[in-house]
Amino acid sequence: MSQELKEAPAGAPSGAPSEASNRVTLSWSHRLLGRPEFGAAVAAIVILVFFLVIAPSFRAMDSIFTVLYQSSTIGIVAVAVGMLMIGGEFDLSAGVIVTSAGLFNALFSYYLGINLVIGAISSLVFCLAVGFLNGYLVMRTGIPSFLITLGSFFVLQGANLGVTKLVSGAVSSPDISKMDGYDFMSAVFAGSFQVSSVTVWNTVIFWIVFVAISGWVLQRTRVGNWIYAVGGNAASARAVGVPVTRVKIGLFMTVSFLGWFVGMHTLYRFNTLQAGNGVGNEFLYIIAAVVGGTLMTGGYGNAIGVAIGAFIFGMTSLGIVFAGWDPNWFRTFLGVMLVLAVLVNLWVKKLSTARKVG
């Protein structure tokens, strides 16, 4: 018998390793870098400090809350768009459906002479139907969601302009401020309150609530697991019993619901809507999600990251104005941020899957 075996402690299994050599651990740096929102959080801090330094008016408390309001109008829909992207799909009609929701409420109530609350409920049913149709066609036909929702985009854009001109004789909805139900709807969707000398819009509170709900669903529920599964590999998810069709249709309907919500805010904030509004906003929602760490290939991202991406949008769009720069440069910034975010997200995704054996 060898010397090594003679010296082995009594009761030790013969040939057993003295310690587990296949134990997988992850360093704290890898865990931190593996968070989808890490890159966006760093970028947000850098941008915030930058504008605090170069734009004195940006430092005022009311300016910060104005940024939060601007962020919320994008961030609410971006929450749903981010969830849809995690599920592996896109919705290019998300921008125009916000306008469609408001126009439907205003024109339907105006033309029929009914209470605006009833018009809003009818508008919600219409928006949910659009979301259902988008999801159903994607799942039923196998056509990429990019093409299905691009078709929806053009249909809604044309209908917004055509129906508005047919009903009101112009390309904007009539002023609804004197119609029944206006006071209630305005208080809910376009209300605000004072904190000291600062105005806080209700949309900021709703944005925080929607982000919290999205985060809870994605991280704490079975539905959240399903969303990540269908985004990562729909075929594998279906093979283990995930209801892929229902999950994806539900995600499209969630986009339509939050689009309806922002449409209500926009209508009751300004009392009227231009029929051509909303075109291009779908890219802002996608950019907010991507900047926040959501992979365009699906299966990766979270609600906090999307919220930070929307906050970056709000800071930049208003920070440029506070700094006295030409606001036309904002689109250039968005393009640069999108490319950088995609590169950073791919890098972070690789780090998140790295393992250290020890």
Side-chain angles (χ1 to χ4, degrees), residues 10 87 101 138 306 332:
V138 169
V306 177
T332 300

Side-chain angles (χ1 to χ4, degrees), residues 3-335:
Q3 182 67 24
E4 288 77 12
L5 289 179
K6 290 179 181 178
E7 294 178 354
S14 177
S18 58
E19 62 178 65
S21 62
N22 61 343
R23 185 177 58 206
V24 177
T25 61
L26 201 62
S27 67
W28 70 268
S29 60
H30 279 76
R31 290 197 298 270
L32 180 62
L33 290 172
R35 298 289 301 176
E37 71 276 14
F38 175 77
V42 173
I45 293 172
V46 171
I47 293 171
L48 177 62
V49 172
F50 176 75
F51 282 119
L52 287 174
V53 171
I54 69 167
S57 58
F58 193 80
R59 305 167 195 165
M61 187 59 66
D62 58 342
S63 297
I64 298 298
F65 276 90
T66 302
V67 168
L68 288 173
Y69 168 71
Q70 181 77 357
S71 303
S72 69
T73 59
I74 295 297
I76 289 175
V77 183
V79 168
V81 170
M83 293 179 70
L84 181 64
M85 290 174 62
I86 292 171
E89 305 293 346
F90 293 92
D91 190 346
L92 295 182
S93 67
V96 292
I97 203 169
V98 171
T99 303
S100 297
L103 289 174
F104 191 105
N105 186 187
L107 297 176
F108 186 77
S109 301
Y110 174 79
Y111 186 75
L112 297 181
I114 62 175
N115 191 289
L116 287 168
V117 176
I118 298 175
I121 294 172
S122 302
S123 174
L124 175 59
V125 173
F126 166 76
C127 290
L128 291 177
V130 171
F132 175 85
L133 183 61
N134 282 339
Y136 178 81
L137 289 176
V138 169
M139 300 308 297
R140 184 70 174 178
T141 66
I143 298 173
S145 56
F146 177 90
L147 294 177
I148 293 292
T149 59
L150 183 61
S152 300
F153 165 86
F154 285 116
V155 170
L156 291 173
Q157 183 186 16
N160 288 348
L161 292 166
V163 174
T164 301
K165 192 167 185 180
L166 180 65
V167 174
S168 67
V171 293
S172 62
S173 65
D175 189 335
I176 62 169
S177 60
K178 304 299 182 183
M179 297 178 64
D180 292 339
Y182 173 80
D183 291 339
F184 171 75
M185 296 297 288
S186 178
V188 172
F189 291 100
S192 62
F193 57 92
Q194 294 292 127
V195 177
S196 185
S197 61
V198 176
T199 300
V200 181
W201 289 92
N202 288 355
T203 53
V204 175
I205 306 302
F206 282 120
W207 178 36
I208 295 171
V209 170
F210 288 137
V211 170
I213 294 173
S214 175
W216 176 75
V217 169
L218 287 173
Q219 304 298 328
R220 301 293 183 182
T221 70
R222 182 172 61 174
V223 173
N225 290 333
W226 288 349
I227 293 172
Y228 283 108
V230 300
N233 190 315
S236 297
R238 185 178 284 109
V240 296
V242 175
V244 175
T245 299
R246 281 188 293 162
V247 169
K248 293 204 175 190
I249 290 177
L251 290 173
F252 278 104
M253 294 179 71
T254 301
V255 173
S256 293
F257 168 70
L258 291 186
W260 168 83
F261 191 94
V262 174
M264 293 301 98
H265 166 72
T266 306
L267 174 63
Y268 292 101
R269 171 83 164 82
F270 301 105
N271 304 334
T272 185
L273 280 177
Q274 294 293 319
N277 285 354
V279 176
N281 282 356
E282 60 278 354
F283 296 114
L284 299 182
Y285 307 142
I286 293 172
I287 290 172
V290 173
V291 169
T294 305
L295 288 185
M296 302 185 75
T297 52
Y300 188 77
N302 63 24
I304 297 297
V306 177
I308 295 174
F311 183 61
I312 289 175
F313 165 83
M315 277 197 298
T316 306
S317 61
L318 292 179
I320 288 175
V321 175
F322 289 142
W325 299 344
D326 184 351
N328 291 318
W329 286 103
F330 174 64
R331 299 286 174 173
T332 300
F333 171 84
L334 286 182

